[in-house]
């Protein structure tokens, strides 16, 4: 029997995976929560972990999403005590995101699982470098469930239309407030919260449209590309957020592709290999290069990217990538005979 501990969060990537594993027949160990205060959440989580001892049996499988704020190590220990196997999908590494763990500490924690689903080859290399002993599988990209249907249109815009959606505060994405002088032959439409309008005087190529809910974005947006970028610099994705792009798969990439949009990503980002392999966008060293890259892009080249983006977007909407990873994990347990 296959089990999971439901996350119950507003985090889209995690809640989507909860829905996908439910559809695959995994049984939820998390009890219903009547209240939503901190104590209630704590009790619900510990009850879900303790149910491992009463529900799981020899040969069963437990699926966990990491980080699990509390009791991750305990959940792995209980599962192994019952003779079960543990599959973990990583969302964030504390080593990079919050800097509360050393790589060695995090690897000791993650090595308590039997099979780990990592974001990409860069994350896999990182874990192996610091001594992770679990089986590792490259997810490739996070899925994105949505009932919305992306808009259909046959030709690209003139000038090229690029969209950016997300947190717009200068403290995190200062690059947005430096980008105007580098745009000549395209336009950038931005959506989200935290935009500091007082910095936008005289902008001609960047237009702020306010906040748009994700389902409405998928359903309504008509653009040529979605921009995946973080940090303070035009020249590179800088700072902690930028550095993190070298090893993680930002959910924003999935969001754009689910909307049928090819993407523009930093060439040093871990996601660049997926974009290149599946021909779903372009990779640039610097945002200053976007003008020239788009100027040299033919209609035929773009059409290939667009068709591929729509194709991958459909797979994301079906939960294809996490299903494939979980099936690989389950099959590996059958193969090794344990």
């Amino acid at each position: 029997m296959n089990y999971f501990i439901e996350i119950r969060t507003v985090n889209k990537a995690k809640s989507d995976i909860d829905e996908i594993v439910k559809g695959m027949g995994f049984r939820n160990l998390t009890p219903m929560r009547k209240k939503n205060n901190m104590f209630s959440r704590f009790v619900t989580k510990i009850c879900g972990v303790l149910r491992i001892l009463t529900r799981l049996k020899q040969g069963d499988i437990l699926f966990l999403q990491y980080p699990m704020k509390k009791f991750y190590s305990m959940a792995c220990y209980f599962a192994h005590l019952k003779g079960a196997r543990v599959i973990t999908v990583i969302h964030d590494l504390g080593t990079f995101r919050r800097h509360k763990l050393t790589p060695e500490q995090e690897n000791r924690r993650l090595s308590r699982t039997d099979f780990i689903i990592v974001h990409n080859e860069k994350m896999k290399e990182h874990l192996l470098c610091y001594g992770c002993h679990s089986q590792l599988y490259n997810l490739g990209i996070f899925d994105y469930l949505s009932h919305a249907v992306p808009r259909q249109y046959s030709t690209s815009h003139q000038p090229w239309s690029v969209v950016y959606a997300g947190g717009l505060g200068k403290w995190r994405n200062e690059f947005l407030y430096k980008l105007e002088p580098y745009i000549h032959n395209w336009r950038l439409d931005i959506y989200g919260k935290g935009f500091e309008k007082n910095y936008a005087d005289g902008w001609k190529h960047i237009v702020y449209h306010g906040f748009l809910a994700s389902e409405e974005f998928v359903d309504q947006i008509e653009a040529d590309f979605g921009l995946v970028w973080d940090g303070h610099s035009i020249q590179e994705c800088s700072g902690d957020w930028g550095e993190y792009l070298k090893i993680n798969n930002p959910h924003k990439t999935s969001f754009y592709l689910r909307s049928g949009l090819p993407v523009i990503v930093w060439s040093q980002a871990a996601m660049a290999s997926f974009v290149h392999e599946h021909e779903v966008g372009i990779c640039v060293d610097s945002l200053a290069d976007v003008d020239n890259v788009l100027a040299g892009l033919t209609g035929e080249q773009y059409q290939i990217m667009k068709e591929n983006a729509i194709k991958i977007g459909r797979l994301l909407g079906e939960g294809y990538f996490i299903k494939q990873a979980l099936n690989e994990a389950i099959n590996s347990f059958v193969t090794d005979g344990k």
Side-chain angles (χ1 to χ4, degrees), residues 33-38 40-41:
R33 190 169 65 213
K34 295 181 179 179
K35 297 181 180 179
N36 197 34
N37 55 49
M38 185 178 296
S40 176
R41 291 194 296 271

Side-chain angles (χ1 to χ4, degrees), residues 269-314:
M271 205 72 231
S273 60
F274 182 93
V275 171
H276 178 74
E277 178 185 349
H278 295 276
E279 296 185 83
V280 290
I282 58 178
C283 307
V284 295
D285 296 330
S286 161
L287 289 177
D289 298 333
V290 174
D291 243 52
N292 288 335
V293 172
L294 291 181
L297 189 65
T298 68
E300 182 180 2
Q301 289 171 325
Y302 176 75
Q303 195 59 38
I304 292 172
M305 293 180 191
K306 180 69 177 177
E307 291 172 0
N308 290 337
I310 292 172
K311 184 187 303 181
I312 292 293
R314 290 196 187 106

Side-chain angles (χ1 to χ4, degrees), residues 95-111:
T95 305
F96 287 85
R97 192 63 180 267
R98 302 184 185 280
H99 306 289
K100 290 186 176 181
L101 295 170
T102 66
E104 292 82 5
Q105 288 172 325
E106 189 147 52
N107 270 286
R108 282 196 296 271
R109 179 179 295 179
L110 286 168
S111 289

Side-chain angles (χ1 to χ4, degrees), residues 47-265:
C47 285
V49 172
L50 289 174
R51 281 183 174 182
I52 295 170
L53 292 172
T54 59
R55 302 285 181 86
L56 271 67
K57 299 185 293 295
Q58 180 79 29
D60 286 343
I61 291 173
L62 175 66
F63 173 67
L64 301 173
Q65 298 196 58
Y66 181 92
M68 185 174 162
K69 288 188 178 179
K70 295 179 178 67
F71 315 121
Y72 175 78
S73 297
M74 184 185 295
C76 292
Y77 175 77
F78 285 170
H80 289 143
L81 189 66
K82 298 292 289 185
R85 307 295 290 273
V86 182
I87 303 170
T88 296
V89 62
I90 294 176
H91 287 278
D92 287 305
L93 290 174
T95 305
F96 287 85
R97 192 63 180 267
R98 302 184 185 280
H99 306 289
K100 290 186 176 181
L101 295 170
T102 66
E104 292 82 5
Q105 288 172 325
E106 189 147 52
N107 270 286
R108 282 196 296 271
R109 179 179 295 179
L110 286 168
S111 289
R112 293 186 172 102
T113 190
D114 300 289
F115 192 102
I116 302 176
I117 302 168
V118 300
H119 292 202
N120 50 61
E121 287 299 319
K122 294 294 185 182
M123 185 175 285
K124 182 177 179 179
E125 290 170 8
H126 168 79
L127 293 179
L128 289 173
C129 178
Y130 287 97
C132 185
H133 301 299
S134 305
Q135 293 185 71
L136 301 174
Y137 179 86
N138 177 9
L139 178 65
I141 190 170
F142 280 97
D143 295 293
Y144 196 101
L145 304 185
S146 173
H147 296 295
V149 179
R151 288 198 173 187
Q152 300 294 315
Y153 48 96
S154 57
T155 58
S156 56
H157 297 78
Q158 294 297 326
W160 293 100
S161 170
V162 181
V163 67
Y164 181 89
L168 305 178
K170 195 169 185 285
W171 65 273
R172 173 171 174 175
N173 287 315
E174 187 179 351
F175 80 89
L176 286 169
Y177 301 85
K178 300 176 178 178
L179 190 53
E180 172 69 26
Y182 295 90
I183 303 177
H184 301 97
N185 302 315
W186 53 286
R187 60 173 282 169
L188 179 66
D189 295 292
I190 56 178
Y191 296 83
K193 296 180 180 180
F195 181 61
E196 301 176 41
K197 297 181 180 179
N198 53 309
Y199 290 96
D201 290 343
W203 284 5
K204 297 179 180 179
H205 303 96
I206 303 177
V207 181
Y208 174 57
H209 297 275
F211 174 78
L212 193 62
S214 57
E215 285 293 290
E216 294 176 335
F217 185 97
V218 175
D219 181 63
Q220 297 178 19
I221 290 301
E222 183 175 316
D224 300 315
F225 291 95
L227 175 63
V228 183
W229 202 270
D230 263 314
H232 306 297
S233 174
I234 296 294
Q235 305 304 326
E236 62 178 355
C237 290
S238 59
D240 289 344
W241 293 101
E243 283 296 309
Y244 198 35
L245 286 178
K246 292 181 179 179
I247 198 168
N248 89 314
N249 292 352
H251 204 230
K252 192 189 301 290
T253 312
S254 305
F255 178 48
Y256 291 141
L257 292 173
R258 182 66 186 90
S259 305
L261 301 178
V263 292
I264 298 173
V265 304

